Amino acid sequence: MTIRAEAIRAAAISEAPVHRRLLQSARGGRILSAIMLRVFTISTPHGHGVLTTTGRKSGRQRRNYVRAIRRHDKVYVVMLRPPALAIERPLAVSSWVWNIRGNPNIHLRLRRRTFAGVAREISDPTELRQAREAICETVHLVDYGECRLHLRGRPSRAKIKDLHGYWFDTGIPLVIELAE
């Protein structure tokens, strides 16, 4: 197993006890994402969006609800790995990331507007620092409810930042460059 996979597995093992049962598995994450997608189809809350990719095999449009932090003409998102999945398969990749790898042209709904853009995984250390700051340091009101869904106990700003840090460290960070 690679060093990255071991680091993801170790982070997930330490994080798993504080996660709620619904979101410990990939299935639970898909259920929550489907619910959130239906709730926020018209307008998304600050810090979130609806990402539309093109299926790499089917060519059909696929939508996913994602945490999306906008900084000027860039939007940062992270593919999440629930603890149970990260322990079992630490390098697992969601289908929407495979779709982006196959066709990086996407649409992203933020609030009540839809933007075209090009998505890519982040590998540059400077850009990773910028993405980490955007994802982990930004806390919106809706994040308190999100934290309550994911973690046991009362949500706090510090707990939310730690949760977002876990997501960033164990997930796949991406940037979407919005078209004019």
Side-chain angles (χ1 to χ4, degrees), residues 31-121:
I31 291 168
L32 179 62
S33 183
I35 292 168
M36 300 304 276
L37 185 60
R38 289 188 190 278
V39 171
F40 296 118
T41 297
I42 305 287
S43 178
T44 59
H46 284 290
H48 293 82
V50 174
L51 177 69
T52 304
T53 61
T54 303
R56 68 192 180 285
K57 293 179 182 176
S58 69
R60 295 175 55 195
Q61 299 295 296
R62 304 289 185 188
R63 296 183 313 157
N64 291 84
Y65 178 75
V66 294
R67 178 168 167 72
I69 304 299
R70 185 173 181 185
R71 295 289 188 264
H72 307 292
D73 63 341
K74 293 183 178 184
V75 178
Y76 298 102
V77 299
V78 175
M79 185 215 80
L80 309 181
R81 287 188 184 103
L85 178 63
I87 292 167
E88 184 182 317
R89 294 185 357 228
L91 298 179
V93 178
S94 292
S95 58
W96 63 269
V97 174
W98 284 111
N99 290 344
I100 286 172
R101 288 174 178 174
N103 179 358
N105 298 307
I106 58 89
H107 286 91
L108 180 66
R109 175 174 284 285
L110 298 172
R111 306 289 288 159
R112 293 186 179 269
R113 293 186 57 200
T114 300
F115 300 89
V118 177
R120 61 180 168 77
E121 294 176 49

